[in-house]
Amino acid sequence: MNLARRTMNAPALAAVYEKAWRPTLFYLASGRTTAADRRDAVTALHLDGSKKILDIACGPGNFTKYLSNALSGDGYAIGLDYSEPMLARAITDNSGPRVGYLRGDARRLPFADGTFDAVCCFGALYLIPDPIAATREMIRVLAPGGRIALTTSHRADTPFGHASRIVGGWSGLRVFTTDIFPKLFAENGLVGIDQQVHRLLQYVSATRPQ
Ligand SMILES: C[S@@+](CC[C@H](N)C(=O)[O-])C[C@H]1O[C@@H](n2cnc3c(N)ncnc32)[C@H](O)[C@@H]1O
């Protein structure tokens, strides 16, 4: 297990992730606040009413609970993660009437095709050993008309971007080029593909056609 994956399994990180680790590191990487990321996630996923959401690699549930607040009726959000310490934190800090947590591997989702109206994966694809398989799984469980959104690393074609790739390789974090996710989405029939790049992070979303 590489350094990045070991870190995500550490109880000490789970304890400080939501309040300190994520706000600081993501702000440095993208110039964006967690509040802005959360608001934009609700917009990108078109959340409302009785929708069913799957939040992959949910960590301590720091987005899962927030996303569930946009729902009503029979709507619910499931957070899935591999790390037991992260899930223990999610249950303690981010439980709610429309939220559930599940231990699982993003590369083999335990759900039937087309189960969810919204599927997201924020701040995790760069940690997953086979990020393309994980992204295909996200698309597989997305219902017709559903929305998919991801936030992950981005390698700019600049000296700083090349340095980030070297540091990423050393720590076990992958750094993705601009074209990889829009191309993968298009190859899998998704439409309305939107991509925004903020410094070292990319935000990509799309719709599965009806
Ligand atoms: C940096 S946290 C992201 C938490 C949250 N989504 C956010 O944006 O702040 C990354 C999470 O990915 C999880 N993870 C890594 N590989 C995974 C896999 N193969 N399946 C499920 N979760 C995984 C880690 O356990 C960790 O909780």
Side-chain angles (χ1 to χ4, degrees):
M1 195 187 278
N2 63 40
L3 178 63
R5 282 175 69 78
R6 274 205 306 275
T7 306
M8 289 298 143
N9 277 298
L13 175 65
V16 299
Y17 181 83
E18 179 172 3
K19 297 277 189 299
W21 182 282
R22 192 201 206 265
T24 306
L25 289 189
F26 278 63
Y27 186 76
L28 290 174
S30 65
R32 288 174 55 84
T33 64
T34 299
D37 278 353
R38 283 175 162 168
R39 279 197 305 272
D40 286 358
V42 170
T43 305
L45 292 167
H46 296 181
L47 298 184
D48 57 24
S50 300
K51 288 190 173 160
K52 302 180 182 67
I53 309 168
L54 178 62
D55 180 13
I56 295 178
C58 64
N62 50 319
F63 276 74
T64 325
K65 169 81 180 301
Y66 182 87
L67 298 178
S68 79
N69 292 338
L71 305 176
S72 58
D74 293 332
Y76 62 80
I78 294 180
L80 178 140
D81 203 282
Y82 197 69
S83 159
E84 287 185 25
M86 286 291 192
L87 288 172
R89 252 2 266 197
I91 290 162
T92 304
D93 296 344
N94 285 305
S95 286
R98 299 179 186 282
V99 184
Y101 293 104
L102 179 69
R103 184 159 188 247
D105 189 331
R107 295 168 297 176
R108 288 180 295 279
L109 296 175
F111 301 109
D113 297 0
T115 301
F116 294 94
D117 304 300
V119 179
C120 58
C121 182
F122 303 134
L125 280 171
Y126 43 68
L127 294 166
I128 297 174
D130 191 345
I132 302 304
T135 309
R136 286 191 204 283
E137 276 291 86
M138 292 174 67
I139 296 168
R140 181 184 68 75
V141 301
L142 187 62
R147 292 282 299 169
I148 185 169
L150 59 86
T151 302
T152 192
S153 52
H154 176 256
R155 174 157 64 96
D157 198 15
T158 62
F160 193 53
H162 292 297
S164 74
R165 186 166 60 94
I166 293 164
V167 173
W170 164 78
S171 63
L173 292 176
R174 281 163 208 260
V175 187
F176 299 103
T177 52
T178 311
D179 59 331
I180 186 160
F181 292 106
K183 193 160 163 251
L184 186 63
F185 281 3
E187 281 168 3
N188 283 273
L190 302 186
V191 297
I193 300 166
D194 180 67
Q195 181 181 47
Q196 293 178 33
V197 171
H198 296 276
R199 296 187 190 161
L200 300 178
L201 294 185
Q202 57 180 305
Y203 298 70
V204 193
S205 61
T207 299
R208 181 166 187 169
Q210 291 283 354

